[in-house]
Structure formats: C-alpha cells, structure tokens
Amino acid sequence: MIPFTINGKEVEGEEGWTILEVARWQGIDIPTLCHHGALEPYGACRLCVVEVDDGRRTRVVISCMYPIKAGIKVQTETPRVANVRRWIVQLLLDESPEAPKIQELAKAFGVTPSRFKKSGVDFACHLCGLCVRACEEVVGVQAVTFGNRGLRKEVTSPFHAVSKECLGCGTCVYICPTGAMDQMFQQVKG
Amino acid sequence: MNTESKMGIFLCECGGKISNRIDLAHVCDLLRYEPWGHLGIYPYPCLAPGLAAMQQEIRSKGLNRILIGGCSSRLMKKRFTAGLAPAGIEKHQVEMINLKDHVAAVHEASPQELARKAAALISGGLASLKLLEPYEPVPLSFEGPALIVGGGISGFAAARELARQGMESIIFAKAQTPERVLDDLHRTFPGCRLFCGDLGELLREVFTTPEVKVMPEQPIDYIVGGVGDYRLGLRQPDGSVTEVPGAAIVVALDQEYGPANIDYIGGGEQVCDLLELEDRLVEGVEMKAGKVVFYVNSPEHGPAAQKFAAVAAWRDSLLLTRENPQMKPTVLYPANITLPLTGADLVEARAHGIGLQSYAPAVHPVVQSGYLSFVSPADNLEHDLEWDTLVVPGVPGDPAGQAQELLRWLPIYPENGGRLKKSHIKFWPDQLPDESLFFTGSAGGACDVHDVLQQGKKAARGVLRLREKALQGKLVSPVVVHVDKDLCEGCGLCTEICPCGGVEHVKPGSGPVPRDVDNHLCSGGGTCAATCPYEAIKVLNSTAQQLEARIKAIVTQMQENEILGFVCGWGGLASAEQAAVKGLTYPQGIYLIPVNCLGSLDPFILSMAFLNGVKGILLAGCTPTHSCHYHYGIDHCWYRVNAMKKLLSLAGLERRRIALGYVEVNEPESLVRMVESQMDTLEQLPSLPRDDKTKARLWAIHATMHRPRVRWVLGTSLRRPTEKVFPGSQFNAVDADETMLDVLKEEYTVSRIFKALTDQALNPPELARVLEEPVKNLTPILTDMVKDGRIFTKGWEKGYPLYALGKK
C-alpha cells in the first residue's frame, strides 16, 4: 500500500490508482466532467485539478490521471485550484449556457455568464470525448469520432456521413454531459 | 461454476447521486430477510479501489452471484465483468439494477419511499440470480474441409488462401476448368475478362492444388450442423442425397447480369449489349472494325450500377483495341458519376485512342441511325457521336446460382433492392460470438472483381482464425440456448424467428425432428424461446423462469396502483435512462424491468404478472421494423399483447390494463408521456378483484398462454409490416383477428373447464353454472377434451356424464 495525504487526511492506495479514485473512495469530492467510471481517464476537461506537493515543489495537476506516489501531499480545495476550476467552468458556461450539467457546475462555483458569451448556441459540444470513447471502449465500434483539428475540432461521424457501424444503441447520447450529442446522433445513425 | 448460489449485494452511492435520493441504509434494512452472503454500501464501486474492495469480499466470502445496485448496465457491465474477472466472476453472474436512472434521478418522492422501490427491484434481481442455471462452455472441434458454396468468383480466392495455409476445402462450381470459369465470368462481372491475368493464375492454382477439391454444383437439399461440424446434403441426379461434412461454410454469391432489352433501339447486328459483345469475343467472332460507342444508360438501376457499367465498358474498349487497333471505341457515360480510373488508366486510354465522353444526364441522349446525339455538360450544346456498333450495358439481375437454396438454409436475407445481407440485426460486438458465417460476393452489394476477390480472401482468413482458435482449444460454444428434445416437435417456428441463424435446421420432409442450436451463431437474444409453442427452448442466461421469479418478487412488494413496465434493451431502456440524464421525472409507481427485446418476452409472463395481482402493464419497445434490433421482435410482442387484451376482455376485465408503446433511443419525453398516460388510465380503474372467481379466470388466462395451440397461432399469425398478405387462409385483417379470437376463446374455455375440474368431477350443467356459460358452448369442447384424453367420463349422474381430469 502507498501512503499519502489528501487535505491532511492520511490515506493509502495500490500502485496504479489515481488521486481521483482514492479521493472519491475516501468521500472527498472532486468535480469532473470528462471522467467516467466506465472509461479510461482522458484528461480533457481539466476540471479535476488538485495541488500536489511532492516534497520539492507544489504543482497543479489533473487528479484523474495522476498516479499516487508515497508521501505526496494533495490539496483539493486551495485558492489556486479554485481559480483554475472557476475559469474552466466560466468558459464552459459561455459555450453551452443551457446544458443542465454545466449549469449545476456554474452554480457550485458561483459563475455567471460573462461578456464573452457565445451567441446562438445553447448546447455546444465541449469535446470532452465521452461519446467517442464510450463508442469505442464500451460498445466496441467506432461510429463517432473526432473530425478536424485545433479550433475546428469537432465530434462527428467518420467522413461526416451516416455511419454503417452505428448500432443506434444511444450510449453516446446517454453519456453526453451537454446534450450536444442529441443532434449529432441523428447524423450518425441516419 | 458452483451451483450453490451465494449472493453479494453491492450498493453504490455514486458520490451522492444515488445516496442523496435513496435512503440506502433503509434499503439494506428492507433487504435483511433476503438470502445474501454479503451486503454493503460503497461510495464508488466502479473505480479501482471499489473494484479491489469487491474482489476482496468475493474471495473472502466465496460469492458467486453479484448484484450491483448502481447505474446503467449497458454502460458499466463491461467494467465490472473485467474488474471482477480476477476473482473468478463470469459475465452472466453479474446482475445490475439501475438505481440511479430508474429510481434516484427520475422520481420526486422521499428517500424512504424510493428505498422501498429500490429494495423491491433488488429483491427481484436476487430472485432472478437465484435461478441462474450453471452452464459451461463446450470446446468445439474444427476438423474437415471448408465448404465453399454459391459458385461466386470469390470462392476461388477463399480456396486459394485456405490452400496456402494448408487447409482443405471443397468448392462447388458450375465450371470444372479455369478456362470455363473465365468464359462465364462476364455473366457476373462484365468487362473483367481482360483483367483476369491474376485471376487466371489464381484459378489454375486452385484447380491444381491438392488441398482444393472442385466439385460440380449440385442442388442443396439441406445444411445442418454447427460451426466445426456442418453437413451439406447434395441431391444427386438419380434422386439420392449424399452428405458432405465440413468444418465451416463460405458462401460466395455473385449478382448475375441479364441481357438488356435492345428491341426499342433496333439496329440489328450493329446494336448489342455488353454481355453479347463479350460472348462474341469469347467465341472469337470477327468484329467489324470502326467506331464503337458504349452508351452507359439505365439510370433506373442507380448510379452505382452505371459506374460499374462505365468501368466495364472502358475495359471492353481496351480489349477491343488490343485485339484490333482499327477499332475506335468511345465510352459515353452520364456526368453525375465519377469514373474510378487512375491517371495511368487515362494515359493508356489515350494511347489506344479510347474516347471518354460524359453527357448531361438531364437530357436523354437520342440514338439515330449511325449517330447518337447528346448534350455535353461542358458547353450545354448538343453534339453528335458517330457509331458503327452501339453497345449498351446488361441489366443487373438476381444473385446467381444456388442463392435460393442457400437463403433457405443459412441466415442470409434479401434486403430492399434485391441485395443479400447476412442479417439485419445490429448488436454490440461483444454480444455476438466470433464471426462464423462467411458471406462474400457481389450479391451483397455491387462491387468490382478485385473487391470480391479480397472479400473471399478475408472470408478464408476468418475460417483460418476459427481453426487457429480450435487448435488452441479456445473455440468454444457458449451454450446459451438449450433445446429440450423431448418437448420439441420440430415445427420450425424458431428458425424463422431467430435473428442470428443460431437455430439449426432440420432436414426437409423428415417429420418432427428435434432442433438443435448452433451456439456459435447464437446471440442469446431469446426471441426463439418466447415463441416456441412447446416451451422446449431455454436461453440459459435469462430464462423465462428467472423473469417469472423476478416479477413475483417485485410484485409482492408493490403497492396498490403501482404497475409493471417492460422496456426493451434498445428503445425502451435507452430512453428511460435518457430521461434521467435530461432531468425528467415521472411517477414512481412504475417498476421498469429491462428485457433483451420485447419479442423475448414470453406470452405467459404477461398473464403471470396479472395472476400475481399486478394492476396494469406498460411495454415500451422500439418503433416497428426499422428500429427493432431483432427479427421483428416488436411485431411478435404486438401479437402477444393483442392476445392478452382479448383474453382480459373474455375474462370480463379491462383491455386497457395492458398497453404497448413505441419509443426511439433518444426520445425520453415520449417515454415519460407514455408512463404518465398509462398510469392515469390505470388510476381510473379499480385494482384487480381478489375474489376466487377472478383468480380462477386469471389462472385460466395464464393456462391459455401456456397452450401450444395458442402459442403456435401467435407465432404463425405474425404478419410483418412489410408483408401485404396475411399468413395461412386468412384474407384480411378482420379474418386474421377473428381466427385468433376463436382460438383464444376455445382454449380459454378449455383452461377454465380444466380449472373447474381440478377441484371436483362435474357434469355439464354444473360446469355451465360454475363457468357462467351456456351448456351448448361447452358440450363440443368437452367432447374434444375427452377425445384428446385430457378428461374422462368418471360416471353418470342424472343422465349426464360426470367429467374428471386425467385418463381412464
């Protein structure tokens, strides 16, 4: 067992476990968006950031992928962490102001829509990749993929066409945190 | 697997998402009398520490049945089966109850109230797990040659690949020499003779290699057996049948081209179609030198066929110019298709003086004597093309050769548009065993000869993979479905309904022969079991008995005004889960029970629920035909619900106690409306009367649903939405419905008589009084029952026979 501390509490875990997993098991809440129990961690949303002191210096890292090490001191609710999370939630909220899960997060962080509000889109995709990963890891097909790169990156069906592989199981719609998959589902399924 | 069941219940808090809405401690309290070996509440069982804790409990307490009360089975089951596999837990030993999406997130009641519902659903799951039948996968042998049937060109590619890897195969072909195969090639692949350089080599290799046996194509009488052990019955010219055994079957079927109708063009010898042109080339007929125009018309066959025809025309023009440089061919093709020619092809075309000309498809080109006028898309002007010979493409026709025989015996189905497809079912890949039916050729979709040869090679590799697995001892039959040979009468309903081709075929004309199951093709959907008139089929990982136990356990904990909801694993279940994601709510009085497909819901399950006192039932499945993932499962369910409604009204109860609804995966709002509406309807109805008379009637309904005749009529009367006629001698909807009603009425009365006679022997007037039916309705049925030996005349009383159950 590897001993370390989270918010001053002595905890321990097996090798290979992540900070997030141990924290949740201990009942310490860390907000997440792109993390899901059924899938491998992905590290897209950065909402699960925590401060880790490894004895030499203190860093802000994502807890969903950071493997636990003996003796590290993890802080989940420092001003530095809160600041990072608030900014992430702010941008997410401006992108899809109507998504229930995002509204929930905004309420928790006391964030309101800013002047950067993206107009005309209520349920925009955040590219968290849950749908793409669920389709591949859980269902076992690749009916939903990422298209383009950089600013133009989007979730779509391969070649923007109706996917022959799609089973129409709706796993992607179920797992989508913003509701953006509702429309894409029609395109994928045909 | 240990048959002694030891259950572990793991409840998930889901970081408050479940525990804030459901009082989990209260759930544990309610479950205290249930037979479990372990019961615990965990913050996140799905994460690594949770899985480690679960493994520890399983090992220390020897648990062999795991029930997880948490979230969606569709999403999480894989995670748990993978995570618990080190502790020796198999997939079917894990049961998940979706507390999050079916209880916590969608109801507004208090945590205590919801705890009651959660506990009821969990005890249902426990009751089902308790009846889980042990089943061990059976290793399969894989010996003997691969049988390549259908006569398609891809079969030769498959045979070569198999031979190169040292596997024997038998190929059934019309032509017995490589040359004859090539001579006939243009019937299925026009224009490919020139490019058969590789193909010629391939064929010569296949015909000379000792691993491949080429046999003449013979009519197929039957195909029986399963993966590793197929037997093909071939009808010989003298009428006898020889049996050829094989380990695997590769179906190679190509689409055949028919002659085009060129009468309307006229022109005599100067006008022909591609097939005729190639016939002339095969026979070495001298061709008149000059301008040859290949006119790619036939827009009615679609752009894919036009494209195919244009490429064939291009190849034939190359062939013509190579044989006779005096030939000046031009391919005239519609501008809306793109020619799949490479730069090198175009260079070659130029070198041989082959013209490639497109025409605007909006204006139909006009054929004249010696000229053809068309509109060029480049300048919108009409141009003339001179011709000495005019060639039009052949007409794509039906799949060649043995297609009809194979369609009968293998799970290959014609789709709209005449294409053949393996099966229209769409399942998660891990719901299906390894691919073991290999279907190749252009009958599955128009494609080039190279593609088809690749398909054949791929099929051969599939066969080799199976052989490899068998060598390692890993080729196992999951043994999901068991057919009781004492009960089976060989009626064949299951074969028709099976979506995966898993139910093995019987030889025709051999009378009632018990069926077997090719478990390697079986996906364990269970629609076959639900439809079997004799209840001879059992799907071992979810038997009707398990579902029955689950419903009984849930119903005993239900309150007045609460109802059962059956949701299919696709439309119904997904939209129910989606409702939770979208934050919709509905009354907590509905207990959702997921099943694979509503078609796998045995008719007696519905009657059994009513017999156990449930007030009403709602069924939510996929929209018929296009959304159903099974073989018309939802349509089968419709007939069962219809029968149930008829029986309810025969028993004097309201038809609207049972309702079937259709919902798509992403339409949670529809599901919520459905639930609210059915609950409103049922609220206006009284609870089922609990008196003996009603109970006797419900018992009779239940018994009727078990009657083979009723089940047979339910299975055979299915009219698929695509069909225009009704099966059998039923001519219209009213006829069909009345036939069903007559059968139900009769069988219902039989069941009621049976029930009345279980207590005491009665004479007809007494029976009539008990059943509240006129004597004249009962007399013919009683006579029939005596004839069938179900009842006998025990004695005589006041001039009436006294009937009793059993035989003399």
Side-chain angles (χ1 to χ4, degrees):
Chain A
M1 288 298 231
I2 302 167
F4 66 105
T5 68
I6 303 179
N7 296 348
K9 187 181 173 186
E10 296 280 345
V11 293
E12 51 181 18
E14 297 280 347
E15 188 169 346
W17 294 6
T18 63
I19 293 178
L20 181 74
E21 285 175 328
V22 179
R24 287 204 160 160
W25 186 247
Q26 297 293 336
I28 299 162
D29 187 45
I30 298 174
T32 56
L33 192 68
C34 74
H35 181 267
H36 196 285
L39 307 171
E40 292 299 311
Y42 189 58
C45 72
R46 326 301 280 186
L47 204 61
C48 63
V49 286
V50 291
E51 244 185 295
V52 172
D53 178 3
D54 59 3
R56 287 181 297 135
R57 59 184 182 139
T58 308
R59 287 195 297 154
V60 173
V61 300
I62 47 167
S63 59
C64 69
M65 290 182 112
Y66 199 88
I68 56 172
K69 285 176 197 148
I72 55 170
K73 294 187 185 72
V74 180
Q75 290 292 332
T76 64
E77 298 293 338
T78 63
R80 204 172 150 197
V81 165
N83 191 37
V84 174
R85 288 186 193 158
R86 206 165 42 240
W87 269 109
I88 294 168
V89 174
Q90 176 78 70
L91 295 170
L92 292 175
L93 182 69
D94 290 343
E95 242 186 329
S96 33
E98 296 294 324
K101 232 177 221 173
I102 306 296
Q103 282 178 343
E104 228 169 79
L105 280 171
K107 213 172 139 195
F109 285 91
V111 172
T112 49
S114 74
R115 62 195 171 85
F116 302 122
K117 190 182 173 318
K118 200 171 164 182
S119 60
V121 185
D122 292 337
F123 301 99
C125 169
H126 295 144
L127 303 174
C128 67
L130 278 174
C131 48
V132 177
R133 288 181 285 142
C135 195
E136 190 179 340
E137 290 177 31
V138 177
V139 185
V141 300
Q142 288 170 324
V144 193
T145 55
F146 283 120
N148 294 333
R149 273 179 289 179
L151 281 176
R152 291 165 62 200
K153 188 173 178 179
E154 59 178 344
V155 168
T156 177
S157 50
F159 308 108
H160 303 281
V162 172
S163 172
K164 273 186 196 161
E165 282 196 7
C166 180
L167 310 169
C169 65
T171 305
C172 51
V173 189
Y174 172 71
I175 208 167
C176 178
T178 66
M181 201 59 215
D182 257 12
Q183 284 187 351
M184 184 46 66
F185 183 63
Q186 290 303 336
Q187 184 194 315
V188 175
K189 189 171 150 250
Chain B
M1 196 178 95
N2 192 350
T3 42
E4 183 76 17
S5 65
K6 202 148 188 217
M7 316 222 201
I9 309 174
F10 299 86
L11 300 178
C12 172
E13 291 180 348
C14 202
K17 276 184 203 137
I18 294 175
S19 55
N20 289 349
R21 292 292 305 128
I22 303 174
D23 187 345
L24 289 178
H26 190 46
V27 174
C28 293
D29 198 36
L30 288 170
L31 290 173
R32 65 190 180 277
Y33 298 121
E34 295 286 347
W36 43 257
H38 172 78
L39 173 64
I41 302 172
Y42 295 82
Y44 278 101
C46 59
L47 300 182
L51 288 170
M54 282 174 82
Q55 276 191 33
Q56 204 189 338
E57 292 296 346
I58 291 166
R59 288 208 179 93
S60 66
K61 293 184 178 160
L63 305 175
N64 57 15
R65 307 274 197 283
I66 307 299
L67 188 138
I68 300 160
C71 67
S72 167
S73 156
R74 294 189 309 147
L75 207 58
M76 297 305 301
K77 186 138 184 203
K78 223 177 200 176
R79 176 80 172 183
F80 282 116
T81 39
L84 300 181
I89 296 294
E90 303 259 348
K91 190 173 159 190
H92 60 274
Q93 291 166 289
V94 181
E95 160 86 28
M96 290 187 72
I97 302 287
N98 193 342
L99 297 182
K100 188 164 90 179
D101 298 321
H102 292 337
V103 187
V106 286
H107 303 319
E108 280 158 343
S110 68
Q112 268 72 29
E113 260 300 290
L114 294 185
R116 193 181 56 79
K117 183 175 175 181
L121 288 174
I122 289 171
S123 45
L126 291 176
S128 162
L129 273 181
K130 202 169 170 222
L131 292 182
L132 187 69
E133 302 218 1
Y135 62 91
E136 296 280 352
V138 178
L140 294 175
S141 67
F142 197 78
E143 280 157 19
L147 305 174
I148 303 171
V149 293
I153 198 76
S154 52
F156 292 100
R160 177 169 75 165
E161 184 65 20
L162 288 172
R164 285 186 175 177
Q165 303 300 325
M167 178 158 178
E168 286 184 1
S169 59
I170 300 177
I171 182 163
F172 297 92
K174 219 187 267 170
Q176 296 296 304
T177 60
E179 291 70 31
R180 287 302 304 161
V181 176
L182 289 178
D183 286 350
D184 285 341
L185 188 64
H186 63 280
R187 309 229 161 262
T188 44
F189 292 95
C192 286
R193 290 190 62 249
L194 175 68
F195 297 86
C196 57
D198 299 355
L199 191 56
E201 257 167 54
L202 188 154
L203 291 172
R204 275 186 286 280
E205 189 178 332
V206 169
F207 276 89
T208 49
T209 184
E211 271 93 1
V212 184
K213 208 165 138 195
V214 183
M215 281 171 72
E217 203 173 72
Q218 280 160 325
I220 296 171
D221 224 33
Y222 59 84
I223 300 174
V224 292
V227 170
D229 174 33
Y230 280 108
R231 287 167 323 270
L232 198 68
L234 296 173
R235 161 99 30 94
Q236 301 301 328
D238 61 3
S240 64
V241 175
T242 47
E243 199 166 89
V244 183
I249 291 185
V250 176
V251 182
L253 267 179
D254 288 330
Q255 186 182 37
E256 210 155 52
Y257 281 80
N261 180 10
I262 46 175
D263 289 345
Y264 76 102
I265 300 179
E269 283 282 290
Q270 286 174 296
V271 179
C272 64
D273 64 13
L274 269 177
L275 299 179
E276 206 184 324
L277 178 80
E278 287 201 40
D279 275 341
R280 287 185 200 170
L281 291 174
V282 171
E283 285 157 21
V285 176
E286 188 77 14
M287 293 273 296
K288 200 177 127 195
K291 296 193 172 73
V292 183
V293 171
F294 291 88
Y295 167 31
V296 179
N297 51 6
S298 58
E300 67 271 22
H301 300 305
Q306 284 180 317
K307 200 160 148 179
F308 195 77
V311 176
W314 177 76
R315 286 185 174 155
D316 271 344
S317 25
L318 260 187
L319 190 61
L320 284 178
T321 50
R322 281 191 192 175
E323 299 222 330
N324 184 354
Q326 301 304 313
M327 292 284 188
K328 291 282 168 252
T330 307
V331 179
L332 185 68
Y333 64 95
N336 57 339
I337 60 166
T338 39
L339 289 182
L341 298 182
T342 61
D345 291 338
L346 295 176
V347 168
E348 199 170 359
R350 261 201 300 280
H352 287 89
I354 298 169
L356 291 168
Q357 175 64 53
S358 66
Y359 65 87
V363 184
H364 214 271
V366 183
V367 181
Q368 302 132 45
S369 168
Y371 285 97
L372 195 154
S373 55
F374 66 95
V375 173
S376 161
D379 53 9
N380 272 342
L381 265 182
E382 202 169 64
H383 295 267
D384 285 334
L385 202 59
E386 215 182 322
W387 57 269
D388 297 312
T389 309
L390 187 67
V391 187
V392 292
V395 178
D398 291 330
Q402 296 171 314
Q404 290 313 318
E405 288 157 21
L406 293 168
L407 289 189
R408 188 164 161 217
W409 296 114
L410 293 169
I412 303 170
Y413 307 92
E415 253 196 319
N416 289 343
R419 280 183 182 182
L420 299 183
K421 222 181 158 188
K422 251 168 41 179
S423 165
H424 82 287
I425 54 163
K426 278 192 164 182
F427 285 158
W428 289 26
D430 63 342
Q431 287 176 321
L432 297 166
D434 321 286
E435 189 187 32
S436 56
L437 174 73
F438 305 99
F439 174 55
T440 62
S442 63
C447 53
D448 202 18
V449 70
H450 295 295
D451 295 342
V452 168
L453 293 177
Q454 277 303 322
Q455 285 178 10
K457 206 166 163 186
K458 232 171 129 183
R461 288 192 181 147
V463 175
L464 292 166
R465 255 199 310 280
L466 290 180
R467 185 183 67 159
E468 190 62 38
K469 268 191 138 177
L471 284 177
Q472 293 168 356
K474 284 185 192 160
L475 186 70
V476 287
S477 162
V479 191
V480 179
V481 171
H482 174 75
V483 183
D484 189 329
K485 298 208 161 131
D486 296 333
L487 292 175
C488 176
E489 301 253 335
C491 70
L493 259 188
C494 44
T495 320
E496 198 186 319
I497 273 111
C498 174
C500 29
V503 184
E504 187 189 306
H505 300 271
V506 277
K507 297 176 195 176
S510 53
V513 175
R515 268 154 202 275
D516 221 329
V517 171
D518 184 349
N519 278 304
H520 216 74
L521 288 172
C522 174
S523 64
T527 46
C528 50
T531 204
C532 178
Y534 312 99
E535 294 172 56
I537 307 181
K538 212 173 209 176
V539 181
L540 294 178
N541 60 357
S542 74
T543 58
Q545 286 66 34
Q546 276 181 292
L547 190 57
E548 192 176 346
R550 180 191 294 258
I551 292 165
K552 276 184 183 158
I554 293 177
V555 169
T556 49
Q557 300 185 37
M558 271 163 64
Q559 291 182 343
E560 203 87 333
N561 276 335
E562 293 188 323
I563 67 167
L564 276 182
F566 292 100
V567 285
C568 85
W570 304 86
L573 183 62
S575 55
E577 288 175 354
Q578 195 61 24
V581 173
K582 281 208 171 167
L584 306 175
T585 56
Y586 49 85
Q588 76 266 22
I590 183 160
Y591 288 70
L592 293 183
I593 300 172
V595 289
N596 279 330
C597 169
L598 289 186
S600 62
L601 204 57
D602 199 289
F604 84 73
I605 294 289
L606 302 175
S607 51
M608 189 274 305
F610 281 112
L611 184 61
N612 279 280
V614 75
K615 191 180 177 188
I617 295 177
L618 170 75
L619 302 106
C622 304
T623 322
T625 320
H626 72 277
S627 288
C628 184
H629 287 248
Y630 289 76
H631 216 74
Y632 304 102
I634 188 77
D635 302 297
H636 281 285
C637 183
W638 186 89
Y639 277 86
R640 289 166 201 165
V641 171
N642 183 19
M644 194 63 218
K645 283 186 172 183
K646 285 189 166 60
L647 285 169
L648 282 175
S649 72
L650 282 178
L653 294 163
E654 298 81 359
R655 285 168 67 103
R656 56 187 192 279
R657 286 189 189 266
I658 182 165
L660 172 64
Y662 311 108
V663 62
E664 286 287 310
V665 170
N666 54 346
E667 288 173 350
E669 293 86 358
S670 313
L671 184 90
V672 170
R673 273 202 302 277
M674 223 181 259
V675 172
E676 283 171 349
S677 164
Q678 177 67 355
M679 292 205 71
D680 277 353
T681 311
L682 289 169
E683 213 152 275
Q684 290 154 15
L685 295 178
S687 293
L688 279 183
R690 311 243 169 201
D691 56 311
D692 286 345
K693 210 162 88 183
T694 318
K695 268 191 192 157
R697 284 179 174 173
L698 288 170
W699 186 91
I701 292 182
H702 188 48
T704 309
M705 285 301 203
H706 274 300
R707 297 278 295 140
R709 185 174 167 218
V710 170
R711 297 169 68 93
W712 168 254
V713 170
L714 280 178
T716 46
S717 63
L718 172 80
R719 187 183 71 127
R720 301 184 175 111
T722 48
E723 291 169 341
K724 295 222 165 43
V725 291
F726 285 81
S729 57
Q730 307 158 120
F731 298 110
N732 53 45
V734 175
D735 268 2
D737 205 53
E738 276 170 3
T739 312
M740 169 107 90
L741 186 61
D742 285 346
V743 171
L744 287 174
K745 248 186 208 162
E746 218 175 292
E747 294 297 329
Y748 174 63
T749 317
V750 168
S751 305
R752 290 185 72 199
I753 292 172
F754 220 71
K755 174 76 178 167
L757 293 181
T758 33
D759 304 331
Q760 49 175 321
L762 292 169
N763 63 32
E766 282 169 344
L767 257 179
R769 207 173 42 250
V770 173
L771 303 183
E772 296 170 3
E773 287 270 352
V775 181
K776 68 174 174 22
N777 287 4
L778 298 181
T779 330
I781 296 175
L782 284 168
T783 322
D784 279 353
M785 284 177 81
V786 172
K787 262 187 218 156
D788 291 348
R790 289 164 64 84
I791 57 172
F792 73 103
T793 319
K794 203 177 170 190
W796 291 82
E797 204 181 67
K798 294 174 209 156
Y800 290 112
L802 192 63
Y803 292 118
L805 290 190
K807 283 177 189 171
K808 230 170 229 174

